[in-house]
Amino acid sequence: MKKIIIANFKMALELKKSLKLIEEFKINLEKRVNQNTIVICPDYLTLGYLASQKGSKRNYPFYLGAQSSGHLQFGALTGEVSSFNLKQIGVSYIILGHSERRALGETNQIIREKLLLVLKNNLRPVICLGEKNKQSTVKTKLFIKKQISEIFFKLNKDEIKKTIIAYEPIWAIGTNKACSPKLANQIIDFIKNYIKERYKINIPVIYGGSVNDINANDFLTQNNIGGLLVGGASLSWSKFKQIISH
Ligand code: PGA
């Protein structure tokens, strides 16, 4: 089945290196038939540079995504970028509520406001959820339920239908200690069922947190996991190539 594989470059690279990596992805992905949906999320500067290119240079064998967007369409929001403008430059996906943004003060309420705009601007949101520390699955499920209820508060079925959820246990992000594929599958099963019962729809739920070229296959072969959100391992084509080829 088709999976969604998202590369999150975070703020890891110099602009020159980021552009070089994108070029490497482009050249290599053009050469291969890949049945997965690939989304590359570099930083805003890289996105802006790519948008300034002309003609066929702007055709990519993957979708472009942003790592966040502002919670107002336009206005006094120093340092933020409007999802309207991101749409204008060819972005298709927006990561929302990443734990590294939550650590800077982003709440479920702010994420909800961003989500409404992302949907209004016809972009696909990828909403990150997940617990901070390792804990019992009962506690994790309760915590995730609360995150979903607050972020989807008063959203309708048609809006929720367009969203993708990324289950990212914070303790697994950037630690090289991924969640076990079985546990991730179990939590994702819970998320999918909760959404199904509450909103009567089926949405893709992907996993993120220390995914690499070695463990990717173990996640992708789990029946509930709809794809991957990859941070560190997306910064190398040779690793990412392995991840997407499963
Ligand atoms: P990681 O990051 O793959 O480096 O753990 C994942 C993420 O933060 O989305």
Side-chain angles (χ1 to χ4, degrees), residues 155-184:
L155 260 73
N156 63 39
K157 192 171 154 176
D158 285 339
E159 290 168 323
I160 294 168
K161 197 163 76 183
K162 295 179 188 130
T163 66
I164 296 165
I165 287 181
Y167 170 56
E168 293 213 304
I170 299 173
W171 51 266
I173 296 177
T175 55
N176 244 333
K177 294 189 180 109
C179 179
S180 83
K182 261 198 170 157
L183 178 60

Side-chain angles (χ1 to χ4, degrees), residues 46-107:
T46 303
L47 287 171
Y49 181 89
L50 296 176
S52 72
Q53 293 194 304
K54 300 261 180 307
S56 64
K57 281 196 164 168
R58 288 196 62 181
N59 295 333
Y60 305 103
F62 47 76
Y63 294 97
L64 286 173
Q67 300 169 17
S68 182
S69 59
H71 70 279
L72 296 178
Q73 184 81 320
F74 291 104
L77 265 190
T78 305
E80 288 288 354
V81 175
S82 166
S83 48
F84 179 92
N85 284 341
L86 290 166
K87 174 76 183 179
Q88 297 299 305
I89 66 163
V91 165
S92 307
Y93 289 75
I94 311 264
I95 298 173
L96 293 177
H98 191 280
S99 64
E100 287 149 17
R101 306 248 4 134
R102 289 178 188 264
L104 297 172
E106 199 164 296
T107 61

Side-chain angles (χ1 to χ4, degrees), residues 8 10 95 98-100 128 168 172-176 208-212 229-234:
N8 176 9
K10 309 194 181 189
I95 298 173
H98 191 280
S99 64
E100 287 149 17
C128 300
E168 293 213 304
I173 296 177
T175 55
N176 244 333
S210 293
V211 170
N212 57 37
L229 178 46
V230 189
S234 71

Side-chain angles (χ1 to χ4, degrees), residues 5 10 13 25 38 51 69 82 91 101 118 133 140 164 183 186 205-206 210 225 232-235 237 242:
I5 304 193
K10 309 194 181 189
L13 300 171
F25 275 50
I38 314 286
S69 59
S82 166
V91 165
R101 306 248 4 134
V118 164
N133 299 309
T140 296
I164 296 165
L183 178 60
Q186 191 187 332
V205 183
I206 65 177
S210 293
I225 302 184
S234 71
L235 301 173
W237 166 249
Q242 302 292 333

